[in-house]
Each structure stands twice: as C-alpha cells, then as structure tokens.
Amino acid sequence: MAEKRKADHDADLEDRPLVRKRLSSFTLQYPSLSHAPTKPPPFQQPTQLLTFSYTPDHVLEFNDSALRYFVDPPFGADLGFGYDRWIKRPDERGRLDALLMAWSKFKKSLQGGPLSSQSKPPDISVMSWRGVMTKVLIAPYEEREGWELNVMRLGETFYFEEHLTDAKLREKNDMEPRQRLQSYYGYAFESYCTAPAPGHQGNATSNVRGWGGDVNTNVQWCSVVKTKLGNRRIVMGGEVDCVRGKYSGNTDNFVELKTSLSIRGLSDERRFEKKLLKFYIQSFLLGVPEIVVGFRKPSGQLTTTQSFQTVQIPRNVRGKPGAWDPLICLDWGDRFFSFLHNTVRTNTGKDVWRVTFTPKVGITATMLDEAGVEEVVGGDDRVGFLPRWYWDEIAACPHDQWRSLGMAYLEAEKGHMV
C-alpha cells in the first residue's frame, strides 16, 4: 500500500520557504502536482479509541445506540422518498467539544492502570475532526473551494476547527430547493442501506421496500481514532455510516456510503474519478476499508451500486488523464503541519490563528487580534474556540500538553481562572 510506505520523515520545507508578509502573518506556497514526492511520509493504520452516539435530539451518549448495519438496497429505490419528513439539523460552527469530551473520557479510562506506556495517553500533535483533515489533504487538487480554519496551540498539540462566517452558515442552511433535494438523496440512500441490527431488511412501519426509516440528521454514530502522519500523532473523530456484519469493536468492517450520478460517458467517468479522491481520503483517514456508491438518475432513482475497497481506489485512477496521487496529498499534509509547527507561536495558549487556503495559491496563517478572537468565541464560555471545561482540565494536568509552557506560567494561569 502506497500510504504505508516506509520513509524517513522529512519535516523540512525544502524549496518551499516560509514567506513573511507582515507581523504574525505567513504563507506556504502551493505544491507542485507534476512530481511525486521522493520521500513521502508514512501514514499509520488508524486505531479506534472509542465511539459515541447522538440521539434523535442530538444528545451525546457514549454508547453505540446509533450504530447501523449494512444491507443491500433495493434496485430502483426512490431516493426522494420521505423528503417531506426529513429532520435536518442546521449546520453550525464545527466545534471540537464532542471530540474533546471523547478524548477526555479516553484519557480518564487509562488512569489507575499499571504504570506502563500502555496506560499513558500518547503525546498528540493534532486534534481535529475528520472533515477538516480531509480538506487539508485534498487541497492540492482543490480548484474552486477555498476554506478557513481556526487554529490553537497548547504546548505541542494543535487544535483545528473549521471557520464558518455567519454568511457562510446562512448559505449552507438556505440551500436552493434543487440543491437541498440532491443533498437529501445521499441521506435517503443511507436509509435504504442500513438497518438497526445485522440481517434486518427495511423498517416494519414502512410500506416501501427496503426503507430503513425516516431521515433525522441529528442521529449520528461516531468513531474516534488515533493515527500518525510522519512523526505526528493525530487524534480525529468522524461519523461512520454503518458496519458490514457484526461490529467487532474496531474499524475493520466500517462502510462509507456515497451517491453519484450514473456514468453515461467519458466526461461523467472523469468527474467521478475526481470525486473518488475525497471519497478515498475521507475513508482512509478513519480506517474505513469499504465504500459503497449508489449510482442514481437525475430524478433520484437508484440504478446500481458498486463496492470499492478503499486501499485499491488509487490504482483505479493511476495513469489516467488528470489522475490524482495520494502521495502528493500526504506529503502536502506533512508540510502543512510542519509549516504550522514552525509558524504558530503563543505565550499564553489563548492565541487563535486563522489559516486560509486559496486554491492554486497556497496557505496563509495570521494571528487574530482581540476582536477576531472574540468573534471566534461567539459569546460562549470558551478560551478561544476551546470550551472552558477543557481548558481547565488541561491546566490542571501539568504533565500533559502544558508541560512545555512551564510550571510558573501554569500556576499564574490557574490564579486567573473563573
């Protein structure tokens, strides 16, 4: 597997220098797509730490109540069915709160055990949702959509959240009717493809063959994993659509569900192969081994399904016109984190940096002023974008991320906490 190739970690930015624009603002230039990296960073197979569920009211619970099991969808299924009963959770700021709660729970589960390397939480370089990591890694091939991230650094750990302005949130929540319906098709496909228990087929209360139940996007089942890119340990969380067969407590039989328009010619094929990059990276990052794609007509009728083994997807596009290379994505991700490690500095841990990606240009990192930080806080009880309870918890553990900030600062900071 190309993503597991052994290579010496190369944290240097080589001939892509940091360019200082002005005080506290730096740039990382766009990568070359014409040459594969000579020393791609190794990527470690993700290991699951724990899971959690969101209830129909979007209450977080540390159980598997929202876990679904894969079933084959019926041929010709109507992906528009149930649209008028869709309970759609509004898009919100991509806060890290749930992931941090899971990480805190995992660390506490290790306390009281034997004093060994197995009972101590690993030193983490990056804490993020899977969606943010996907945006970072596919950036070399993103031609239209830019993005912004908020970044904080506590010791050697970097925390990332997607920055969404009020205008962007309104845009995401006020989709045009046609776009909203097409978005629903994907959720409906998930309903047809999943059941609450292995081997079950369809919802007993529905007269529609194979329908798994009305869509409520408050309900989610999430996995939290640890992995490693180069020499950086990463903890990330993401939603998992379902598992195939019996759930074994790890990622081995996770399944990602996707929809796409039926392929009718060469141009459709090339568009789909381009989409496969995001499908691949999303699943690869979380350790999902299988992706099931439902191909549909423009009217929303399911025509066929195809299963892809995640590790084999790069081979399907290799050598084709405009093909993407996952090694370029991994190398870019490694350089992106090296750039931030060398750039983002903080004296208090409270600073927030804004990282902006511009397609075909590169990355800009700028430290926010006081007004910018207040906008990120958004009136909540937070330090930057981190919840106050997490800040207090970290500050109470001098041997965790805070050790590099020094005990003198830590004691002073505790005195100012409310």
Side-chain angles (χ1 to χ4, degrees):
M1 293 171 51
E3 60 272 22
K4 292 184 179 178
R5 284 177 55 183
K6 300 296 182 182
D8 294 330
H9 174 66
D10 183 9
D12 295 333
L13 298 182
E14 299 177 351
D15 58 343
R16 304 283 180 178
L18 278 66
V19 181
R20 186 161 189 171
K21 296 173 62 180
R22 60 181 185 276
L23 183 64
S24 299
S25 183
F26 304 82
T27 63
L28 174 65
Q29 297 175 9
Y30 205 64
S32 170
L33 301 182
S34 59
H35 297 94
T38 56
K39 294 182 179 180
F43 184 84
Q44 187 179 74
Q45 175 69 22
T47 301
Q48 182 169 269
L49 302 179
L50 74 171
T51 59
F52 61 87
S53 297
Y54 281 111
T55 70
D57 295 321
H58 206 67
V59 176
L60 187 150
E61 297 178 345
F62 284 102
N63 58 38
D64 296 322
S65 60
L67 170 60
R68 304 283 289 182
Y69 297 85
F70 180 80
V71 295
D72 289 313
F75 175 78
D78 175 15
L79 299 183
F81 178 75
Y83 178 68
D84 57 334
R85 298 186 298 276
W86 179 18
I87 300 176
K88 183 181 184 300
R89 179 172 176 79
D91 282 286
E92 300 173 325
R93 295 188 181 195
R95 297 300 198 189
L96 286 177
D97 296 29
L99 180 59
L100 298 178
M101 289 176 65
W103 176 240
S104 176
K105 181 178 178 65
F106 172 75
K107 289 194 296 182
K108 290 174 182 176
S109 73
L110 301 180
Q111 294 177 357
L115 294 178
S116 69
S117 61
Q118 297 300 315
S119 65
K120 299 176 184 178
D123 294 329
I124 301 302
S125 299
V126 176
M127 186 84 64
S128 173
W129 289 115
R130 185 257 308 265
V132 169
M133 289 292 296
T134 300
K135 287 179 181 291
V136 170
L137 291 189
I138 69 173
Y141 294 98
E142 177 56 63
E143 298 176 346
R144 295 184 301 176
E145 295 290 331
W147 42 257
E148 292 184 311
L149 306 178
N150 297 323
V151 180
M152 292 181 68
R153 179 176 186 170
L154 300 186
E156 294 303 305
T157 302
F158 288 79
Y159 298 83
F160 295 83
E161 72 163 18
E162 183 177 8
H163 175 69
L164 294 173
T165 63
D166 291 340
K168 188 67 175 179
L169 280 173
R170 285 194 298 270
E171 179 185 330
K172 291 170 73 71
N173 286 312
D174 298 333
M175 290 185 288
E176 294 292 330
R178 181 171 178 270
Q179 183 184 7
R180 192 175 189 272
L181 177 61
Q182 290 176 339
S183 174
Y184 176 78
Y185 288 157
Y187 294 116
F189 180 65
E190 292 178 16
S191 180
Y192 281 114
C193 286
T194 62
H200 285 216
Q201 184 75 47
N203 189 314
T205 63
S206 173
N207 295 323
V208 174
R209 184 168 61 96
W211 182 245
D214 290 345
V215 176
N216 180 349
T217 53
N218 284 302
V219 179
Q220 295 176 309
W221 185 61
C222 300
S223 173
V224 178
V225 303
K226 68 179 178 73
T227 183
K228 200 173 182 183
L229 177 62
N231 65 355
R232 294 179 179 84
R233 290 188 176 91
I234 300 170
V235 167
M236 76 183 95
E239 183 180 5
V240 178
D241 293 329
C242 59
V243 301
R244 184 182 285 276
K246 184 179 179 180
Y247 174 51
S248 56
N250 55 47
T251 70
D252 290 350
N253 58 345
F254 284 4
V255 180
E256 180 79 12
L257 301 172
K258 297 291 186 183
T259 57
S260 187
L261 280 171
S262 299
I263 297 174
R264 296 161 294 183
L266 183 59
S267 60
D268 288 346
E269 182 179 351
R270 288 180 177 172
R271 276 193 292 269
F272 177 69
E273 288 171 347
K274 189 172 183 178
K275 290 173 66 174
L276 279 176
L277 171 60
K278 187 174 182 180
F279 293 179
Y280 168 75
I281 293 293
Q282 282 181 325
S283 297
F284 169 80
L285 284 172
L286 214 59
V288 179
E290 181 184 7
I291 304 169
V292 175
V293 179
F295 293 95
R296 63 170 181 84
K297 294 180 179 180
S299 62
Q301 183 181 23
L302 186 67
T303 59
T304 187
T305 61
Q306 184 174 351
S307 174
F308 295 85
Q309 296 302 303
T310 302
V311 297
Q312 297 177 2
I313 288 178
R315 304 172 194 167
N316 296 339
V317 301
R318 189 175 299 151
K320 295 185 178 182
W324 46 267
D325 184 347
L327 297 184
I328 288 178
C329 296
L330 291 177
D331 185 66
W332 164 259
D334 190 45
R335 294 200 301 110
F336 173 82
F337 293 126
S338 293
F339 163 71
L340 293 182
H341 185 271
N342 295 331
T343 300
V344 173
R345 295 286 184 264
T346 177
N347 293 322
T348 66
K350 297 182 178 182
D351 296 320
V352 180
W353 288 65
R354 177 68 43 74
V355 174
T356 302
F357 167 70
T358 304
K360 300 184 179 181
V361 176
I363 295 291
T364 301
T366 305
M367 190 169 71
L368 298 181
D369 59 16
E370 184 176 348
V373 173
E374 286 301 312
E375 191 270 336
V376 169
V377 172
D380 297 336
D381 187 17
R382 298 181 180 275
V383 178
F385 57 79
L386 298 177
R388 169 67 68 174
W389 66 263
Y390 184 77
W391 176 275
D392 291 346
E393 184 176 287
I394 294 299
C397 301
H399 297 297
D400 207 332
Q401 289 112 316
W402 286 92
R403 59 191 171 194
S404 65
L405 294 181
M407 287 298 296
Y409 163 69
L410 182 59
E411 293 300 322
E413 180 58 27
K414 284 181 179 179
H416 288 89
M417 289 184 176
V418 294

